[in-house]
Amino acid sequence: AQTVTQSQPEMSVQEAETVTLSCTYDTSESDYYLFWYKQPPSRQMILVIRQEAYKQQNATENRFSVNFQKAAKSFSLKISDSQLGDAAMYFCAYRSYQGAQKLVFGQGTRLTINP
Amino acid sequence: DVKVTQSSRYLVKRTGEKVFLECVQDMDHENMFWYRQDPGLGLRLIYFSYDVKMKEKGDIPEGYSVSREKKERFSLILESASTNQTSMYLCASSLSLAGGSYNEQFFGPGTRLTVL
């Protein structure tokens, strides 16, 4: 079974600075997808960024980018120019390429933005 | 925009009660999911459904059942609520496409259930 680990329960960053959230996973599959989801306080979970394992190029969405290291099974999220609206719980998630489309989530990292 | 709604944001029930959590999506998605969210544990899959009347157990199905009589609606049932089922429950839905990362899961706002 696949597992996802987020070793940082909490992180904080100054507004306008850059922060990196860590995620490692364990799988024996070669094809899969990785995601970062954001859950703002009292608001719905939304997808931030996604990465296909067969793509070597790291995904980027505006201020959000990932560092995908397939051999190391590492998938970190970098947030540049942090804004107050980035404060949220961030979850790393894994999905197999085939079969059931369920997500396996990490424990989450609570990100605080200091003004 | 995809909209996933859940019947209650907050719910308080007593031990032994039968509890129904309802989820409705408006985008004709085939797949629907129920997750439980607990601090330090992230989200864990309880049950999912890939079609009407079809269901599959997730990682923590014990103490729960589900019902999907219509494509847009997926219900989570706690037959006899217990205090260890106090948690945040999240519903999600997605299109059923073979592979493809673009069939992302869209989440509802969650129901915070307290069992006394």
Side-chain angles (χ1 to χ4, degrees), chain A residues 48-111:
Chain A
V48 174
I49 198 165
R50 54 184 171 242
Q51 174 82 40
E52 292 90 338
Y54 61 85
K55 288 186 178 179
Q56 292 188 327
Q57 187 172 6
N58 289 325
T60 299
E61 289 287 343
N62 300 314
R63 298 182 294 107
F64 297 86
S65 61
V66 299
N67 184 4
F68 173 50
Q69 301 289 327
K70 191 173 184 180
K73 296 179 182 174
S74 170
F75 183 62
S76 61
L77 174 70
K78 185 171 82 171
I79 305 174
S80 303
D81 186 25
S82 298
Q83 300 175 1
L84 294 178
D86 295 332
M89 281 291 290
Y90 286 82
F91 291 96
C92 179
Y94 172 103
R95 207 203 85 191
S96 296
Y97 186 84
Q98 298 288 353
Q101 295 178 13
K102 62 179 185 177
L103 293 171
V104 178
F105 284 88
Q107 299 87 341
T109 297
R110 183 175 301 280
L111 178 64

Side-chain angles (χ1 to χ4, degrees), chain B residues 18-36:
Chain B
K18 190 169 186 176
V19 181
F20 293 87
L21 303 183
E22 306 285 337
C23 175
V24 178
Q25 50 91 7
D26 66 357
M27 283 300 290
D28 204 33
H29 283 174
E30 290 85 0
N31 300 324
M32 296 189 75
F33 307 83
W34 275 107
Y35 294 92
R36 170 178 170 158

